[in-house]
Amino acid sequence: MSKERSKKLLPWISTPLILLVFFLAWDLFVRVYEVSELVLPPPLTVFESLAEVVADPVTWDHARVTAIETIGGFLIALVCGVAAGVVLGKVAWMERSLRPMIVASQVVPKVALIPLFVIWFGFGMTSKVIISAMLAFFPIMLNVQLGVRSVEAGQREVMRSLSASRWQTFTHLELKSTMPYVFAGMEVGIVFAIIGTIVGEYLGGSEGLGYLVVRTLNELDAPALFAVIILLSVLGLMLYFAVHGLKRFFIPWHESVYSQQDVNR
Amino acid sequence: MSAHSAETIEHASNALDAPAKLELSGVGKEFRTKRASTHALSDINLTIRDGEFVSLIGRSGCGKTTLLRTLAGLVSPTTGEILIEGRSLWNGSKVDSSVVSKLGVVFQEANLFPWYTVADNISLPLRLRGDGKQDRRARADELAELVGLKGFENSYPRELSGGMRQRVAIARALSIRPKLLLMDEPFGALDALTRERMNLELQRIALATKATVVFVTHDITEAVFLGDRVVHLTPRPGRIRQIRSIGFERPRSIDVQTEPEFGAIVRDLRHALDEEE
Ligand SMILES: Nc1ncnc2c1ncn2[C@@H]1O[C@H](COP(=O)(O)OP(=O)(O)OP(=O)(O)O)[C@@H](O)[C@H]1O
Ligand SMILES: [Mg+2]
């Protein structure tokens, strides 16, 4: 096997190995210390419970609700975040007049506001969509704002020396040059959107995987609790990799994409 | 570097009777910031003939880039007038874009667009002008070969060395077949050997396309080797200290550098630059 190939295969071998070791250690720990099943069920019990949870169609309804809330909130945050970021990045007086508010909004722990949103927008999906949109909005906006400002002066001069129109400068330079920042914001934003949705579901409502976590907790069904947490993690991973995949598709020329390819190679 | 070119060298352009391509009269530039004002250029008078190659030398910070940028339509001069083929480049602080779009500009940095391939970078000016895809591709291939980048047409800038990137920038400037080429230390980042080859290549391209070139450099030998005339700027404010005509017929071979007269001119200019301190 060539060196290149083995480098590429390495994570595919190491990841299952690490997981296997992790589960073995978990199992051993539970047995040796005789941990109560209520605190930490052995991995096999969790897997059995996971199989049951997955087989139950109701689980999928909950998962769909969580996914819709997260994606909906994320898309709203994307549209608003890009728009706000472009405006703040381009219009200096606006950025200056709003800067104190923006700094303040970054410092405020936004998770603390979630109960308010539940009060205002009810226990249904609306409040969760709004919460996840709010959490995902800021990283996207801040990144886009940075991106709009980071267009290289030298590249601008090239466009000017070619007598490019405003529209041409936008499509050939500003848009392309800002894309990496949009995706950097999106990668953080999607994670924040999931956090927002789940915490929102913890606090109120009767739908979603977050609600399922609370219910299994109240029922003291630790194996099912673990199973739902695993499902949530899988959902989070899928959404993250979807965004990451979009990034690799749209900006293959960017450092953050090709340097990774080089490492994988 | 390939020797291929569709164009042929017809004659050396030392003819004194050629019409004026570029006329600067009383050009001055003052940068004003809140803190201070810098008098970057003062009373520059210079007439450059069609097909002429003019080298611009001077110490760092003496205003070479500023002068070139006023010619490229990027910064407006505070005083004076610039005529390109008899047309005024600046109307107050507004630039005549129909004049600018016929210029080829090569900056100190390559300033390529990392999201475009070499071919797309080279043909960007054509794309902005509205040329069709096939024409663009054909011209890009032709120019890639001209600057010695055949086989790299579909590479991205990140896959190229610094010198290769600078050559892409030169090809990009040449894509619209400019009759006036403005170059700001384009070979500053190259090693001596590549630089020598690029000098020969630039000389050949300039003669073949009958382009007028204004070429900024730190390197006195390079300035003398390439230029019909060498313009020496002194700093604060940037003024023309002297203009030397270089008698050697273009195209010149590298061997011209070993001739005593060549050496004498280089020595003279070096002394003049040294005296400034
Ligand atoms: N945008 C600007 N604002 C204020 N001052 C400037 C600006 N651009 C240039 N200057 C000043 O004008 C003077 C000439 O600068 P310029 O870049 O033309 O020098 P240069 O001869 O090209 O130097 P180098 O050989 O180092 O590239 C310098 O003193 C510089 O500080
Ligand atoms: Mg300079």
Side-chain angles (χ1 to χ4, degrees), chain A residues 16 18-28 43 47 230:
Chain A
I18 291 168
L19 283 178
L20 187 68
V21 170
F22 173 75
F23 286 125
L24 285 175
W26 175 0
D27 198 58
L28 198 69
F47 289 141
I230 290 173

Side-chain angles (χ1 to χ4, degrees), chain B residues 38-40 58-66 185 218 234-238:
Chain B
T38 314
H39 207 165
R59 304 191 82 87
S60 179
C62 73
K64 304 183 295 292
T65 297
T66 307
E185 301 190 33
H218 268 125
T234 51
R236 250 147 291 179

Side-chain angles (χ1 to χ4, degrees), chain A residues 175-226:
Chain A
L175 185 69
K176 298 263 181 358
S177 160
T178 308
M179 280 312 261
Y181 294 86
V182 175
F183 279 105
M186 282 166 70
E187 282 181 342
V188 181
I190 191 70
V191 175
F192 277 38
I194 298 163
I195 294 173
T197 308
I198 294 170
V199 176
E201 287 172 352
Y202 281 0
L203 288 179
S206 55
E207 293 172 306
L209 291 176
Y211 159 76
L212 224 49
V213 167
V214 176
R215 202 184 71 191
T216 47
L217 181 66
N218 289 340
E219 290 165 357
L220 294 179
D221 187 353
L225 175 60
F226 271 78

